[in-house]
Amino acid sequence: MGEAEPEAPRALEAMARALERLLARNERLSSEPEPEGKQRGLAAFRGARQPSISIARYLERIYRYTCCSPSCFVVGFVYVDRMVHKDPGSLVVPLNVHRIVLTSVMVASKVLDDLHYNNAFFARVGGVSNAELNRLEMELLSLLDFGVMVSSRVFESYCLHMEKELVCSGAAQKIEGAIFDSLTTEIEAPEDDKGKRFPSSPPRKSFS
């Protein structure tokens, strides 16, 4: 009898809810497609068609197979927000959100986690080619001006913001730092990760 899968951290659901609200807002704002010739900024993350997997399930897949810490999803969301402000002429839409999320969480994992998978593994989990993910990583770093560090103050403020997204969606009852408190406990007890078992290689899928 196999072991039951662990419950996904609140940070995943909070990130999914925040992105879903952003997508809904941008759907109302977006009236014209990106110019075909634009290949920089957020336009570089644009796929040919919308993936069939929801953003919530996609985040769960990344968490399940890469074993990245829940904090990576908070910092990944920080990166998304910073990129949006750096490239205000482009929007996060269904055609680019999966690639943006995959790249952001991967870079956050490299910054935060002592043990992390390489780009090739993240690409397989995310359903893109290794070459494409390498290119997207450089595009993300360029948009961030290579500023990948997140202060504890900024981290806490985003935890609270994401918790509010859960409340707005009706998925939580209170916002008193629930996400931040759980992640602080995790950060203060890194020895829990030393016995981490990495899962077997994920099934190869293409979501593009």
Side-chain angles (χ1 to χ4, degrees), residues 82 86 137-138 140-149:
R82 287 177 177 176
K86 186 69 182 294
E137 181 182 25
M138 292 307 301
L140 179 145
L141 292 172
S142 177
L143 277 168
L144 297 178
D145 292 326
F146 290 83
V148 295
M149 302 307 296

Side-chain angles (χ1 to χ4, degrees), residues 45 64 73 77 115 121 159 171:
F45 295 82
R64 175 184 177 188
F73 294 88
F77 187 73
L115 297 175
F121 191 88
C159 285

Side-chain angles (χ1 to χ4, degrees), residues 57-65 124-125 202-203 207:
R57 292 292 300 276
Y58 195 64
L59 289 171
E60 289 173 7
R61 178 178 169 86
I62 294 172
Y63 175 71
R64 175 184 177 188
Y65 287 112
R124 184 170 183 178
V125 171
F207 301 112

Side-chain angles (χ1 to χ4, degrees), residues 52-72:
S52 58
I53 187 172
S54 70
I55 194 63
R57 292 292 300 276
Y58 195 64
L59 289 171
E60 289 173 7
R61 178 178 169 86
I62 294 172
Y63 175 71
R64 175 184 177 188
Y65 287 112
T66 68
C67 294
C68 57
S69 62
S71 300
C72 295

Side-chain angles (χ1 to χ4, degrees), residues 49-135:
R49 59 183 181 274
Q50 181 178 339
S52 58
I53 187 172
S54 70
I55 194 63
R57 292 292 300 276
Y58 195 64
L59 289 171
E60 289 173 7
R61 178 178 169 86
I62 294 172
Y63 175 71
R64 175 184 177 188
Y65 287 112
T66 68
C67 294
C68 57
S69 62
S71 300
C72 295
F73 294 88
V74 177
V75 172
F77 187 73
V78 175
Y79 294 163
V80 174
D81 197 42
R82 287 177 177 176
M83 287 192 291
V84 167
H85 284 86
K86 186 69 182 294
D87 186 17
S90 296
L91 299 174
V92 176
V93 294
L95 287 176
N96 63 19
V97 66
H98 293 75
R99 286 172 169 80
I100 290 173
V101 163
L102 175 67
T103 313
S104 297
V105 173
M106 181 187 73
V107 172
S109 178
K110 292 182 178 183
V111 172
L112 297 176
D113 295 340
D114 292 333
L115 297 175
H116 59 79
Y117 282 110
N118 59 21
N119 287 26
F121 191 88
F122 269 91
R124 184 170 183 178
V125 171
V128 299
S129 70
N130 188 25
E132 180 179 14
L133 188 56
N134 290 344
R135 176 179 61 81

Side-chain angles (χ1 to χ4, degrees), residues 22 41 83 91 114 121 123 152 163 191 200 205:
L22 178 62
M83 287 192 291
L91 299 174
D114 292 333
F121 191 88
S152 58
E163 189 71 28
E191 64 273 9
S200 57
K205 282 191 176 183

